[in-house]
Amino acid sequence: MRLRVVSIVAAAHESAGRPTATDVFVVGRVRVHRESIAAALADVASVRVVGEAATLDDAVAELSGRERPAVALLDCPRLGDLVVAAPLSSAPEAKLVCVGVPEDEGVEWIEAGASGFVPPEGSLEDVIVALERVADDELAAPPRVAAHLATRVRHLAAGSARPSREERLTARETEVLDLLEEGLSNKQIARRLSIQEQTAKNHVHSVLRKLGVSRRAEAAAQRAGRRPRRSRY
């Protein structure tokens, strides 16, 4: 995701009437990305960059014990960062916003404790809006993800203890499960969905984890409502 330094953004947000600027801690593995994001946000009246870190672990250490709440802005996170997201989000002094998260992975980040995310095609303005919404204790997510989360809330309100395992899957993960039932490999799934093979592999891993199985054949069999056959996978 490319962020442009636009001076008019500052003027657009000076009139927003926010009492104080939101403290932001920029996190990203690539130094030039971190510095570019920090430089872009420096011109925004509603935001104050208070630090940078290369990893989410470092951010957790820096943000722990702060008297003033802050938002950790994570650039292009990996699914492996989900483990660190939970303890960060549970700290009252810190919230998490992820930049560059595909919509089909967004629900996982929200479930892990993120307060919001901006998809890869998002703009600098989208990032600023997400930071402001999260600072106001609102969820910052695209409409499709918000609708998915609302469906889960309705299940709980209707008295169901938990949504079924398949209902926990995102729309993209459901597509992947359909293709697993067809017996497709990661490479074939990637080609069918026009995504990278590594992305397909990540989705398959997430599907297996959410369904509580360890093999692709078990996931396919669970979807089809039959016992799994012996498989070399």
Side-chain angles (χ1 to χ4, degrees), residues 5-184:
V5 181
V6 186
S7 60
I8 60 172
V9 173
H13 288 265
E14 283 175 353
S15 59
R18 302 180 62 80
T20 57
T22 300
D23 285 353
V24 175
F25 203 90
V26 182
V27 186
R29 292 177 176 83
V30 182
R31 179 178 177 180
V32 68
H33 289 180
R34 295 198 309 270
E35 293 178 347
S36 296
I37 292 173
L41 295 177
D43 288 337
V44 181
S46 60
V47 171
R48 182 177 68 170
V49 177
V50 295
E52 300 176 22
T55 68
L56 205 48
D57 283 303
D58 292 338
V60 171
E62 291 285 346
L63 294 174
S64 296
R66 279 179 56 93
E67 294 183 3
R68 179 181 166 88
V71 178
L73 182 64
L74 179 60
D75 178 40
C76 298
R78 303 173 182 175
L79 289 176
D81 291 324
L82 285 168
V83 178
V84 186
L88 175 64
S89 63
S90 63
E93 67 274 5
K95 297 179 181 179
L96 177 63
V97 172
C98 303
V99 179
V101 173
E103 284 195 24
D104 49 30
E105 295 178 7
V107 172
E108 288 189 73
W109 280 97
I110 299 298
E111 288 180 338
S115 298
F117 73 94
V118 179
E121 65 274 12
S123 65
L124 174 60
E125 183 72 14
D126 294 327
V127 173
I128 296 168
V129 170
L131 291 171
E132 292 178 348
R133 291 184 63 181
V134 167
D136 289 336
D137 295 323
E138 298 177 12
L139 175 68
R144 189 166 69 116
V145 174
H148 187 85
L149 294 171
T151 298
R152 298 192 184 194
V153 172
R154 286 197 296 272
H155 276 289
L156 294 174
S160 56
R162 298 185 66 180
S164 70
R165 283 178 169 175
E166 282 195 28
E167 287 171 341
R168 298 176 203 167
L169 301 180
T170 65
R172 176 65 85 187
E173 289 167 349
T174 300
E175 291 178 321
V176 170
L177 181 56
D178 289 337
L179 298 179
L180 287 177
E181 190 176 356
E182 293 181 25
L184 271 60

Side-chain angles (χ1 to χ4, degrees), residues 186-202:
N186 290 344
K187 183 178 292 187
Q188 292 169 324
I189 291 174
R191 187 179 301 115
R192 182 77 69 86
L193 298 179
S194 299
I195 58 179
Q196 296 294 320
E197 185 175 351
Q198 182 59 49
T199 301
K201 182 178 179 180
N202 290 340

